[in-house]
Amino acid sequence: MKSSIILIFNPTAKKASGRKIIRASHFLKSRGYNVEVLFTEKKGHAESLARDAIKESPSLIIAAGGDGTFNEVINGIAGSEVPMAILPLGTTNVLSKEIGVPEDIESALEVALKSTPKTVSLGKISGIYENQFTGHSSLVTRYFVLMAGIGFDGEAVLGVNEILKKFSGKGAYIYSGIKTLSRFKPSELFFDIDGKTYSGYTAIIGKAAKYGGNYRITPDARLPDPFLYVCLFKGKSCLDILRYAFGILMGRHLRFRDVEYVKATTVEVKGNAHIQIDGDYFGKTPARVEIVPNIVRIIF
């Protein structure tokens, strides 16, 4: 009996195309697998597709898209025994860089078929989501595999134009970051990290080492490890934000006196700030972030 693979494909991903998904499907079938391709239709759809897919007990789910698609599929399969592999087709593909999956289709699929699933610990965040159209607020809880960005980072992601993102990729994030810089007037945030209180204006809570490509904001974070790393920025002016950005580019930000770097298992955040997870907007503080050990299996 042939093993079955479910391929969840986001057709709106930056580098996605019908031709690529046909190539991927043909490649997998040529290796003797039964392949079912599921197309996402809207934000959040990959998660529900993945949740339904695991009921069929496939041997593997492959998420084809960008980091947002990977995040949704992870949220759909977390806690199950079905492993996930990735086919990177997104804007930045941070997860693929973190785990060493090449962006070439056939090479990525070779990793999916030949590598061993590894058990990964995830971050879990609970916070407030506000519907911009209805004004309704609700408590939301989600897993993240890369990072949670609170403060400037979250506000910049909130301002990303999705149409511009489709055509310009990283340019949409840079443009939004520049706009955010000109109007960023944060209030102080308080972080209770494993019982000790810190304060600052922006934080990156990393589950992975890489950020925005190959930059390392939380360089000690590893996917299998049951820990978070909090990089806390204490400055709030435009010059501070620019200084932090150049420090990250140069890999020197952890040497700054107004940057704190803390290993953690739980983080309680109090104050008023926007949040992004894995490159997509999540909601607002107050929020609770915690580590969930060994909750998902990823192939790399």
Side-chain angles (χ1 to χ4, degrees):
M1 182 177 179
K2 292 182 179 179
S3 297
S4 63
I5 292 177
I6 293 179
L7 188 58
I8 297 177
F9 171 58
N10 178 6
T12 67
K14 170 67 176 173
K15 299 174 185 176
S17 69
R19 178 179 55 82
K20 289 182 179 179
I21 208 64
I22 290 171
R23 276 175 58 195
S25 180
H26 284 172
F27 179 90
L28 295 170
K29 289 177 180 178
S30 73
R31 299 299 179 93
Y33 292 91
N34 288 320
V35 180
E36 182 180 4
V37 180
L38 305 177
F39 292 80
T40 66
E41 298 174 358
K42 58 185 177 181
K43 186 176 177 63
H45 195 199
E47 180 177 345
S48 59
L49 289 175
R51 189 171 287 114
D52 289 339
I54 61 174
K55 297 174 185 177
E56 302 176 23
S57 299
S59 57
L60 172 64
I61 291 177
I62 299 177
D67 291 312
T69 305
F70 305 151
N71 176 279
E72 289 188 16
V73 173
I74 283 170
N75 273 271
I77 68 171
S80 78
E81 290 300 313
V82 178
M84 180 190 84
I86 66 170
L87 180 56
L89 300 173
T91 302
T92 311
N93 299 318
V94 180
L95 182 57
S96 71
K97 293 177 173 62
E98 179 75 20
I99 63 178
V101 174
E103 296 188 13
D104 170 72
I105 290 175
E106 284 77 12
S107 298
L109 294 176
E110 287 285 1
V111 172
L113 299 181
K114 293 183 178 180
S115 296
T116 303
K118 297 174 179 61
T119 303
V120 167
S121 299
L122 298 176
K124 184 171 77 171
I125 182 168
S126 298
I128 306 299
Y129 177 76
E130 290 184 356
N131 189 305
Q132 294 175 276
F133 301 102
T134 66
H136 179 70
S137 298
S138 58
L139 180 66
V140 178
T141 298
R142 292 190 64 77
Y143 294 109
F144 62 90
V145 68
L146 296 171
M147 90 300 282
I150 303 171
F152 179 85
D153 203 50
E155 196 164 326
V157 169
L158 173 64
V160 169
N161 183 296
E162 291 299 322
I163 297 175
L164 182 62
K165 178 181 172 182
K166 173 65 178 175
F167 291 99
S168 68
K170 291 183 182 179
Y173 288 96
I174 295 171
Y175 178 64
S176 181
I178 293 170
K179 288 197 305 177
T180 301
L181 186 64
S182 67
R183 63 172 186 261
F184 188 56
K185 300 187 183 301
S187 57
E188 191 171 20
L189 301 172
F190 296 92
F191 300 80
D192 186 327
I193 303 175
D194 292 336
K196 185 176 180 180
T197 300
Y198 302 80
S199 64
Y201 293 91
T202 285
I204 303 295
I205 302 176
K207 185 62 200 68
K210 294 190 177 181
Y211 173 98
N214 284 307
Y215 306 113
R216 293 175 178 266
I217 295 185
T218 52
D220 298 302
R222 300 290 182 270
L223 295 188
D225 294 347
F227 299 105
L228 302 164
Y229 284 84
V230 183
C231 190
L232 180 60
F233 301 91
K234 294 179 170 290
K236 64 177 180 177
S237 70
C238 290
L239 288 177
D240 287 329
I241 301 299
L242 288 171
R243 178 167 53 86
Y244 297 146
F246 281 111
I248 291 167
L249 291 174
M250 301 299 293
R252 299 175 61 88
H253 60 290
L254 297 184
R255 303 180 187 180
F256 294 172
R257 292 182 178 180
D258 58 349
V259 172
E260 290 200 70
Y261 186 54
V262 186
K263 187 178 182 179
T265 56
T266 62
V267 184
E268 297 274 359
V269 188
K270 298 176 182 177
N272 182 26
H274 292 284
I275 305 170
Q276 65 89 2
I277 59 170
D278 292 353
D280 281 343
Y281 185 69
F282 169 78
K284 297 186 71 175
T285 56
R288 175 182 172 85
V289 185
E290 59 190 299
I291 195 71
V292 184
N294 306 326
I295 190 66
V296 73
R297 300 171 74 218
I298 301 177
I299 295 179
F300 60 97

